[in-house]
Amino acid sequence: MERTAGILADRAIKALFAEGQLKSEAPLDGDQIQPASLDLRLGSKALRVRASFMPGRSSTVASKLDRLTLHEIDLEHGAVLETGCVYIVPLMESLDLPAELSASTNPKSSTGRLDIFTRVMVDHAQEFDKIPAGYSGPLYLEISPRTFPVIVRRGSRLSQIRFRVGNALLSEADLLELHAAETLVASETPNVSGGGIALSIDLKGTGPEGLIGYRGKHHTSVIDVDRKAQHEVLDFWEPIYSRGRNELILDPDEFYILVSREAVHVPPAYAAEMTPYDPLVGEFRVHYAGFFDPGFGHAAAGGSGSRAVLEVRSHEVPFILEHGQIVGRLVYEHMLERPQGLYGTGLGSNYQAQGLKLSKHFKL
């Protein structure tokens, strides 16, 4: 039976371009379309602004920028974005969506793992990262590097967009049924509530020294977001070891890379997303980059045993995490159709079959 609600797959995303509902000022990169999303590219300029803002129902982003811009930065040949600053970048892609099609956005995995806070805005928006059905107009990316200064340029890809028709979310009953058939997380007793399936934290560690994660260093050199395997890990990260305690105190204003205890599986006919912050599990934010594509952790796509890498930042107060503690939830949605390509299958996916892993920018 053909689905009437769901996430658009790669073939349908290509069709959006053919039909003029998705536009770009330059031809697409060969790997820009993912199984259930499209990477968005930075345009030729960044605008340093006084503060983050929301356009609001009565304003365009451009009209707010006229008042809030401090200076303009040329991105054609690359530029440094400093920590603690807020930048708005018009994106190369724009939309002319039909009435039944909405969209949502999220940072790419590598963006989140560098602690680059990003979110997409559209004209007349009252929410970040949500694009209403039928929207027609430009896309803008707010960028705020939190830990490391970064080099970006025209064409850099920091964010991604998903398109959906209707409400495709699985109910809790559907999740339990799918888990029984497909094993969504490697847990004998899955915790399903709040519309999602729980993930817990691994603080026992790996290897002889019990490596449990990394804490970002301050006052480092810059990271080029378009260069793979260019940076030494210890120049930017402090490794954290369990030392048999199986717990970790999160310090406020520090950034951590940790990993889930459970392996995650996204079957080919589904897409998943991690909720970024759940006040019911503690005063911290987990996983800036929330999209999991069809095929993530899927054995046939080379991903058996793929765990979720977690970008963690505590809020106002120190917070103690203990091994096995719930830190977030995955929600699953139906795809409208199975993608032509799955995550990890000939797509150059960086994080298939992963355990604890830093972003692609660091040397192994």
Side-chain angles (χ1 to χ4, degrees):
M1 182 180 69
E2 184 176 344
R3 295 203 59 83
T4 57
I7 301 292
L8 267 59
D10 41 17
R11 180 165 46 190
I13 295 172
K14 293 177 186 175
L16 293 181
F17 279 98
E19 295 164 5
Q21 296 166 350
L22 181 54
K23 304 172 185 178
S24 180
E25 62 188 53
L28 289 181
D29 298 338
D31 60 348
Q32 195 173 342
I33 296 177
Q34 304 298 321
S37 62
L38 172 78
D39 292 350
L40 297 171
R41 297 174 294 180
L42 302 185
S44 58
K45 64 181 180 181
L47 303 170
R48 167 81 191 280
V49 293
R50 292 164 53 193
S52 177
F53 64 90
M54 182 69 71
R57 183 175 295 172
S58 60
S59 298
T60 64
V61 176
S63 66
K64 288 285 182 75
L65 287 172
D66 288 341
R67 181 166 59 89
L68 297 174
T69 296
L70 298 176
H71 63 269
E72 183 175 313
I73 301 166
D74 184 3
L75 299 184
E76 283 291 347
H77 304 291
V80 174
L81 304 186
E82 302 283 356
T83 58
C85 299
V86 180
Y87 304 88
I88 305 296
V89 180
L91 296 173
M92 294 173 68
E93 288 74 32
S94 60
L95 301 177
D96 186 14
L97 298 179
E100 71 279 4
L101 195 63
S102 64
S104 61
T105 58
N106 244 312
K108 287 176 59 64
S109 294
S110 296
T111 306
R113 294 187 202 194
L114 292 179
D115 199 20
I116 306 172
F117 187 69
T118 70
R119 46 196 184 181
V120 168
M121 287 190 294
V122 297
D123 290 340
H124 311 294
Q126 296 179 285
E127 295 178 282
F128 292 110
D129 287 327
K130 292 186 179 180
I131 299 161
Y135 174 76
S136 180
L139 301 172
Y140 299 84
L141 187 65
E142 178 188 304
I143 307 173
S144 183
R146 303 292 301 277
T147 297
F148 312 118
V150 296
I151 296 175
V152 301
R153 57 186 57 78
R154 184 178 187 269
S156 295
R157 290 144 56 173
L158 300 182
S159 189
Q160 53 195 339
I161 186 169
R162 269 185 182 170
F163 302 92
R164 58 175 53 79
V165 176
N167 182 0
L169 278 171
L170 273 69
S171 68
E172 292 179 12
D174 292 336
L175 270 178
L176 286 169
E177 183 179 343
L178 184 61
H179 176 75
E182 297 277 6
T183 309
L184 302 180
V185 299
S187 173
E188 294 181 1
T189 55
N191 181 310
V192 176
S193 67
I197 190 166
L199 288 182
S200 64
I201 196 76
D202 182 354
L203 294 179
K204 286 188 175 179
T206 59
E209 297 177 305
L211 178 68
I212 62 173
Y214 298 89
R215 180 190 293 114
K217 292 184 176 181
H218 299 281
H219 314 298
T220 67
S221 60
V222 298
I223 294 174
D224 189 323
V225 301
D226 298 320
R227 302 286 184 261
K228 292 184 180 181
Q230 293 294 304
H231 303 287
E232 298 289 344
V233 170
L234 296 182
D235 289 343
F236 295 85
W237 300 98
E238 174 191 349
I240 306 171
Y241 301 96
S242 69
R243 294 184 291 171
R245 296 179 182 175
N246 298 343
E247 68 178 25
L248 174 66
I249 298 178
L250 301 176
D251 292 319
D253 300 322
E254 298 291 334
F255 179 67
Y256 300 85
I257 296 291
L258 305 172
V259 70
S260 69
R261 186 175 61 155
E262 302 86 1
V264 172
H265 176 212
V266 184
Y270 300 87
E273 183 174 354
M274 180 171 285
T275 55
Y277 170 59
D278 183 354
L280 299 179
V281 300
E283 292 301 315
F284 56 89
R285 178 188 174 102
V286 171
H287 217 74
Y288 291 2
F291 287 164
F292 288 75
D293 270 344
F296 182 88
H298 190 57
S304 181
S306 295
R307 293 197 282 172
V309 169
L310 309 170
E311 302 104 28
V312 181
R313 180 179 286 278
S314 184
H315 290 312
E316 303 294 330
V317 296
F319 189 86
I320 297 177
L321 281 180
E322 298 182 354
H323 178 75
Q325 183 172 340
I326 292 174
V327 293
R329 295 188 181 276
L330 284 173
V331 296
Y332 281 74
E333 295 182 83
H334 292 281
M335 298 292 297
L336 269 180
E337 62 179 351
R338 180 185 170 118
Q340 291 178 309
L342 296 178
Y343 187 90
T345 308
L347 298 180
S349 306
N350 291 293
Y351 306 118
Q352 186 69 295
Q354 70 180 353
L356 175 64
K357 188 175 183 180
L358 294 171
S359 73
K360 62 187 179 183
H361 308 92
F362 299 96
K363 298 177 182 178
L364 295 176

